Amino acid sequence: MDAFTRSVNLTQRLGYLIAYPHGCGEQVTSGAFPQLFLSDFVTLSKEKADEVNRNVSAAISKLHENQLSNGGFTYWKGGRYADDWVTSYIGQFFVEAEKKGYVLPSGSKQSWLNYQNSEARQWRYEGKYQNDFAQAYRLYTLALANNADIASMNRLREMSTSMVSNAARARLAAAYALAGQKKVAETLFSKVKFDNQDDDDYSSYGSALRNKAMGLETALLLGKAELAADLALEISDRLSSSEWLSTQTTAYSLYAMARYVAKNKTGKNWTLN
């Protein structure tokens, strides 16, 4: 049975994200992000499409309230300092939402880009915080927004393998792929191991499964069909289970699966539970 015919518990997983009781930047983003790609899974009625549009637009407005004057985003509204990961995550959501036709608050995206570029250039490795992953994700978001910082990407790539984590290497490969440097991306991605991928610490709000979802996205960018199919099968199995998954793991897994469906579409034969 291939990945297309397996359930991803779409209704249950989305319901969990949308109904999650907290309102931090990560969770608001996670609730709205997969809704951008619902139509890749199923045909939406006009009523459902209108509901999705309202949900995504409301999330954009709410998240804009977390943006500081320097362009970064705080974890909670009213916070004084930008959160590295949340800033990149919200920025990715904003970029993808704009591609889907949503209008972003005036100046928000450019302010975010300025912040990301400044942080990328100033970044220094701090081993005790394992901040290489945050930098790799930041560079990925810049490439996604067609503002790739090749110099900062090269600087991270040239660091020793003992300093750059498996997850960071995979994200950096995606950044190079988006920037059109496929050979560099393939070389980096060939060093990524998926059979023993470590969990990330709390600072990235993630998990080994979330990282595999990011790996699936990279595999699709590089045309690694066999690897993409293997990762998609594993991710869909986990989504279809009753296993508890964090908001970001759920959201990014659904996002990556939507990418896989769009790439390999043979008809909308996913099941909705």
Side-chain angles (χ1 to χ4, degrees):
M1 184 183 296
D2 67 25
F4 286 99
T5 58
R6 305 180 78 92
S7 166
V8 293
N9 264 343
L10 189 58
T11 299
Q12 178 186 329
R13 295 295 184 184
L14 271 175
Y16 161 67
L17 291 175
I18 296 168
Y20 203 85
H22 301 304
C24 69
E26 185 275 320
Q27 288 156 356
V28 172
T29 306
S30 291
F33 200 176
Q35 294 185 66
L36 291 173
F37 305 95
L38 259 182
S39 60
D40 288 321
F41 289 106
V42 293
T43 301
L44 299 178
S45 66
K46 183 181 184 304
E47 292 75 18
K48 188 63 179 179
D50 289 343
E51 180 187 349
V52 166
N53 286 335
R54 288 193 299 271
N55 290 344
V56 171
S57 296
I60 290 170
S61 296
K62 186 174 181 65
L63 291 168
H64 182 54
E65 296 174 359
N66 289 39
Q67 190 167 25
L68 299 171
S69 59
N70 65 6
F73 287 89
T74 60
Y75 188 74
W76 291 104
K77 179 183 175 181
R80 296 174 59 191
Y81 303 101
D83 180 286
D84 273 356
W85 193 269
V86 163
T87 294
S88 291
Y89 191 41
I90 294 173
Q92 182 183 3
F93 167 58
F94 273 23
V95 169
E96 294 287 10
E98 187 177 55
K99 290 178 181 178
K100 292 287 187 179
Y102 289 90
V103 177
L104 302 178
S106 178
S108 179
K109 180 183 173 185
Q110 188 58 55
S111 182
W112 169 77
L113 283 170
N114 293 342
Y115 178 84
Q116 292 289 80
N117 276 305
S118 175
E119 290 297 302
R121 292 192 208 88
Q122 296 178 52
W123 179 83
R124 296 293 181 271
Y125 176 70
E126 296 182 53
K128 65 179 179 179
Y129 297 118
Q130 298 179 318
N131 67 340
D132 56 311
F133 194 20
Q135 173 72 343
Y137 187 33
R138 179 185 294 120
L139 294 169
Y140 160 85
T141 63
L142 285 169
L144 185 70
N146 297 316
N147 275 261
D149 182 347
I150 301 297
S152 294
M153 289 162 59
N154 289 342
R155 185 156 56 94
L156 182 59
R157 176 170 60 93
E158 290 161 5
M159 289 171 57
S160 68
T161 54
S162 63
M163 297 168 72
V164 180
S165 67
N166 200 53
R169 196 173 294 114
R171 271 297 76 180
L172 187 59
Y176 275 108
L178 289 168
Q181 297 197 16
K182 189 174 180 180
K183 287 186 177 179
V184 177
E186 288 178 337
T187 299
L188 267 174
F189 199 53
S190 68
K191 299 174 183 176
V192 175
K193 308 297 182 188
F194 290 102
D195 54 348
N196 187 30
Q197 203 167 9
D198 13 329
D199 288 334
D200 265 310
D201 64 16
Y202 64 90
S203 64
S204 76
Y205 314 103
S207 65
L209 182 62
R210 190 278 313 273
N211 295 348
K212 286 183 178 180
M214 289 183 165
L216 169 56
E217 181 189 5
T218 309
L220 291 170
L221 287 169
L222 294 175
K224 306 289 185 185
E226 186 175 348
L227 174 59
D230 289 343
L231 289 171
L233 187 59
E234 179 178 353
I235 293 165
S236 66
D237 279 343
R238 298 281 294 278
L239 285 170
S240 66
S241 74
S242 59
E243 175 186 1
W244 179 87
L245 299 173
S246 72
T247 50
Q248 184 164 139
T249 294
T250 302
Y252 217 99
S253 294
L254 289 172
Y255 166 68
M257 290 304 297
R259 289 296 195 199
Y260 183 76
V261 172
K263 184 81 170 179
N264 299 277
K265 192 165 288 186
T266 59
K268 294 180 184 290
N269 50 0
W270 289 80
T271 55
L272 268 170
N273 292 346

